[in-house]
Amino acid sequence: MSAPLPRSLDPAPGELLPGYLLRMAHRLDLKPLDLGRLCGLVTGSTFPARHMVRLDQDRTRHIADVCRLNPAEVHGLTLAGQAPGYTPLRIDYLGRHQSTVTMANDGWVLTAFSRYCPDCLRDTADLPGGPVWDGAWRLPHTFLCERHQRILDWQCPTCHAPAFSNGYRADGRWRPTQLIPAPAQRLHPARCRHRRSTGPNAACGQGLDQPARPPVRPAAAMTHAHQRLAEAATAADHEVASLGQQVSAQCFFNDIRATVAAVRGTWPMAGELLTDIGPVDTITAHIEALRRPHPERTAALGDGRVARTFGHPPADPLAAADLMAITVAILDNPTGHHTLAHLLSDLPSTSTAHIRLRHHAQHCSPAMTAVIRRSVRFPRKAAGPPALFPQPATHRGRLDPDAISTPLPEHWTAPLDELGAPHRQLRRDAAIRLVQMATGCSRRSAAFHLQIPLGSLHSATISIQAWQKEPGNAAAYQKALHRVAEIARHG
């Protein structure tokens, strides 16, 4: 058990464990690595970044004793303590158990570096131990400083490496993240700790509290998006708006992730649909880099940051600001599901975004789940035999797919009962076809929308296909379906 340190520091508002320990080490003239050992945070010679995400009770008490804090103050130095509404920090995120190690390496949880505001570092320079690194700068959706009305910086003006990062190898891959980069070196908290080489004095050491260029001012849409995301991240027990509905913060952030996938997977369509957002050249450059083959992606930018951000918000805060402004604009609009439907219908079925959306659908808000189920095309091979009688989208925009259920309402089914087909399978098949008539989606996607199990879908497909092959049945069925659709339209 380590003895309490001779002096302590009060945590600054919004400060995370790395910044606090950095200030403490500077005040006591210790290497951050040595302070980490005293606090029980070092394993061998590494300073695991997972401690920034969440701390167990024993380690929390130990840090509190060493640093002369109370456990609540230590908990407040973690992302779990500061962002209780931020969905990716949940243990059961997207239906799978995740550890703190998994979270620390997930670009939706935190960045492998820290964005920063030079003005904030300069404003807090006189605090004991030196300037404060705001914990929110590590969240991937934090891209501006509202106090100084500027887009955050993220690269050292001298070595051009992402700030507060452990750097990357010559092949473009990130080095394993550390709670504090270059922890064996004594440096002022405002100095760049990126390791350009190995050795005792390998860190860059450039001051980050002096801006290298004039600040970039955020557009109104960027500021609005930033406020919406920041409020939702701290709204553990409050509902927020998404697609015209009040939903939990958890659903809202899942909607954000799904919308980002839709926007990025179909770019530049979203920019063409939302012309009032303004210039979006940064998104175009970001997505063009992501679409290059892997060797070209790392060579094109020369620092490996694209590999880390593939599938996650962009590392560049200006590109992140543009992307989140578009994303929030879609979700703020009560009719945003129409925009999403346009985007998702154009999403290639072989794309990574398509696969992610199929998995994320059930974890989003009801409105987002519905639009994904209607619009995302699912692999036909999972649905059994292909439809021999494809269903055209004759009622797109005229029939509400959300009004269709299985079993169908009894007052809809009279035209079907006249056909003499297998009763139960025909009604199930008719519900599927009505969704297809309203949306143009595949049978598999329509069944998914109706929550029909794959086994039941397979049974209906086989039975009704056999019946449709008999002379006259397919044409009679289509006439009956149109009569059912008109009954459904008029209640």
Side-chain angles (χ1 to χ4, degrees):
M1 184 72 178
S2 301
L5 293 165
R7 286 181 289 174
S8 184
L9 283 175
D10 291 329
E15 188 171 41
L16 281 180
L17 194 60
Y20 177 79
L21 294 176
L22 199 59
R23 286 200 301 131
M24 177 75 85
H26 182 64
R27 188 181 191 195
L28 299 175
D29 195 27
L30 290 173
K31 295 177 182 178
L33 190 66
D34 293 338
L35 178 58
R37 289 196 177 101
L38 292 174
C39 293
L41 296 171
V42 174
T43 302
S45 60
T46 63
F47 219 156
R50 68 176 185 272
H51 300 312
M52 188 189 339
V53 177
R54 183 178 280 107
L55 293 167
D56 59 42
Q57 291 185 354
D58 290 342
R59 187 170 276 113
T60 298
R61 283 194 296 267
H62 180 69
I63 296 170
D65 291 340
V66 171
C67 295
R68 300 176 180 267
L69 302 173
N70 63 58
E73 288 176 311
V74 176
H75 176 64
L77 292 169
T78 66
L79 284 174
Q82 291 191 19
Y86 191 45
T87 299
L89 290 170
R90 293 178 178 265
I91 296 294
D92 58 346
Y93 181 47
L94 296 178
R96 67 176 186 271
H97 179 84
Q98 58 176 359
S99 66
T100 53
V101 175
T102 303
M103 295 182 204
N105 288 284
D106 186 336
W108 273 101
V109 176
L110 72 152
T111 58
F113 53 92
S114 180
R115 296 172 181 142
Y116 67 97
C117 172
D119 297 324
C120 286
L121 293 178
R122 191 166 56 253
D123 289 350
T124 57
D126 293 334
L127 290 177
V132 174
W133 286 79
D134 194 318
W137 295 341
R138 296 301 294 264
L139 293 174
H141 60 262
T142 301
F143 44 78
L144 64 84
C145 174
E146 292 191 44
R147 185 196 309 174
H148 295 104
Q149 276 300 293
R150 60 173 294 156
I151 298 292
L152 297 175
D153 285 347
W154 72 293
Q155 290 173 300
C156 169
T158 297
C159 69
H160 305 293
F164 217 99
S165 76
N166 202 36
Y168 29 73
R169 302 183 177 98
D171 62 0
R173 292 180 299 159
W174 284 93
R175 294 190 182 111
T177 55
Q178 298 246 40
L179 194 71
I180 296 177
Q185 297 187 34
R186 293 184 177 91
L187 282 174
H188 186 272
R191 299 284 177 178
C192 175
R193 306 186 70 86
H194 172 65
R195 291 189 299 131
R196 294 183 289 185
S197 60
T198 58
N201 299 306
C204 169
Q206 169 66 38
L208 300 176
D209 51 358
Q210 299 297 323
R213 60 188 179 186
V216 178
R217 303 301 179 188
M222 297 175 181
T223 301
H224 172 72
H226 188 268
Q227 291 170 342
R228 288 271 279 129
L229 292 162
E231 290 168 2
T234 56
D237 301 319
H238 299 86
E239 292 189 332
V240 294
S242 180
L243 296 175
Q245 300 177 344
Q246 291 296 309
V247 301
S248 68
Q250 180 175 1
C251 284
F252 174 71
F253 274 109
N254 289 341
D255 286 359
I256 288 287
R257 184 164 184 171
T259 306
V260 166
V263 169
R264 196 151 42 184
T266 58
W267 191 259
M269 181 180 287
E272 296 166 353
L273 293 174
L274 301 170
T275 55
D276 56 338
I277 292 295
V280 285
D281 294 343
T282 57
I283 302 179
T284 300
H286 167 68
I287 292 174
E288 285 179 351
L290 290 180
R291 287 174 177 171
R292 294 169 184 161
H294 179 267
E296 293 182 22
R297 286 204 307 269
T298 53
L301 296 177
D303 61 11
R305 61 182 181 268
V306 170
R308 170 76 182 192
T309 59
F310 189 82
H312 306 128
D316 185 336
L318 185 55
D322 282 331
L323 180 59
M324 289 303 173
I326 285 181
T327 298
V328 170
I330 293 172
L331 297 181
D332 274 355
N333 191 336
T335 63
H337 58 281
H338 293 307
T339 301
L340 284 166
H342 277 293
L343 298 178
L344 294 174
S345 64
D346 197 57
L347 192 66
S349 60
T350 56
S351 68
T352 303
H354 188 280
I355 297 169
R356 289 197 184 105
L357 284 167
R358 282 160 38 205
H359 174 67
H360 293 170
Q362 61 183 311
H363 304 286
C364 295
S365 69
M368 178 64 77
T369 298
V371 75
I372 292 175
R373 287 175 172 173
R374 289 199 303 267
S375 305
V376 173
R377 294 179 293 276
F378 290 80
R380 191 181 294 273
K381 65 180 182 182
L388 297 179
F389 302 91
Q391 186 63 52
T394 55
H395 284 63
R396 193 195 299 268
R398 298 165 55 206
L399 180 62
D400 181 6
D402 292 333
I404 303 166
S405 61
T406 182
L408 291 173
E410 284 295 327
H411 66 284
W412 291 12
T413 59
L416 301 175
D417 296 338
E418 301 170 359
L419 297 175
H423 178 80
R424 183 165 54 88
Q425 288 90 344
L426 182 66
R427 290 191 174 193
R428 181 177 294 139
D429 187 83
I432 292 169
R433 287 179 177 274
L434 286 170
V435 172
Q436 290 184 282
M437 291 165 70
T439 65
C441 66
S442 68
R443 282 182 64 81
R444 171 64 176 84
S445 186
F448 186 61
H449 172 76
L450 295 167
Q451 299 184 357
I452 295 175
L454 283 179
S456 299
L457 171 63
H458 180 81
S459 173
T461 302
I462 295 296
S463 299
I464 300 307
Q465 276 185 358
W467 173 78
Q468 284 178 293
K469 290 178 183 178
E470 298 177 10
N473 283 350
Y477 188 20
Q478 284 300 307
K479 290 181 181 179
L481 282 170
H482 281 263
R483 290 168 58 195
V484 173
E486 291 306 308
I487 294 172
R489 284 185 60 208
H490 297 97

